[in-house]
């Protein structure tokens, strides 16, 4: 799929897919699955620092922001890469 698309020179299609589609799905799933960022255990000896980062990500970068003046979803994008991705999905 990635190699059949005409992407900009030097652009790696799979990396573009992971960095855009998969990454945004991760944020969406975090929003669905973590109602309260305080559920994350920041005192855990092994994963406490990741829990701290998870709290920051949840409150600052996961929910929809009000008043955006630009299209932020890949669905409906007119770029050939995303049109092909949604066609295949």
């Amino acid at each position: 799929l990635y190699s059949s698309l005409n992407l900009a020179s030097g652009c790696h299609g799979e990396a573009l897919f992971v960095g855009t589609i998969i990454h945004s799905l991760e944020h969406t799933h975090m929003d669905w699955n973590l109602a309260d960022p305080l559920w994350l255990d920041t005192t855990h000896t092994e994963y406490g620092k990741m829990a701290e980062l998870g709290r920051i990500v949840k409150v600052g970068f996961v929910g929809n922001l009000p008043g955006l003046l630009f299209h932020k979803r890949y669905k409906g994008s007119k770029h050939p890469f995303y049109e092909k991705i949604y066609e295949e999905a």
Side-chain angles (χ1 to χ4, degrees), residues 24-37 39 57-59 61-65 72-73:
S24 64
L25 286 174
E26 290 171 337
H27 281 253
T28 299
H29 287 148
M30 183 181 204
D31 196 31
W32 292 350
N33 293 315
L34 184 64
D36 186 345
W39 288 349
V57 170
K58 169 64 177 171
V59 299
F61 304 101
V62 170
N64 287 329
L65 298 173
K72 71 176 195 92
R73 304 265 186 231

Side-chain angles (χ1 to χ4, degrees), residues 4-88:
S4 67
L5 296 168
N6 267 336
L7 298 174
S9 178
C11 181
H12 190 274
E14 187 174 3
L16 181 61
F17 176 75
V18 170
T20 56
I21 303 297
I22 299 299
H23 187 77
S24 64
L25 286 174
E26 290 171 337
H27 281 253
T28 299
H29 287 148
M30 183 181 204
D31 196 31
W32 292 350
N33 293 315
L34 184 64
D36 186 345
L38 296 178
W39 288 349
L40 298 174
D41 181 10
T42 59
T43 63
H44 191 278
T45 55
E46 190 172 356
Y47 299 110
K49 295 298 181 190
M50 182 57 76
E52 288 179 22
L53 182 61
R55 285 182 176 182
I56 293 168
V57 170
K58 169 64 177 171
V59 299
F61 304 101
V62 170
N64 287 329
L65 298 173
L68 288 181
L69 301 176
F70 56 89
H71 182 75
K72 71 176 195 92
R73 304 265 186 231
Y74 294 106
K75 184 176 184 178
S77 171
K78 298 302 178 201
H79 190 280
F81 178 79
Y82 300 111
E83 285 181 339
K84 184 69 173 171
I85 292 296
Y86 276 93
E87 178 184 308
E88 295 291 326

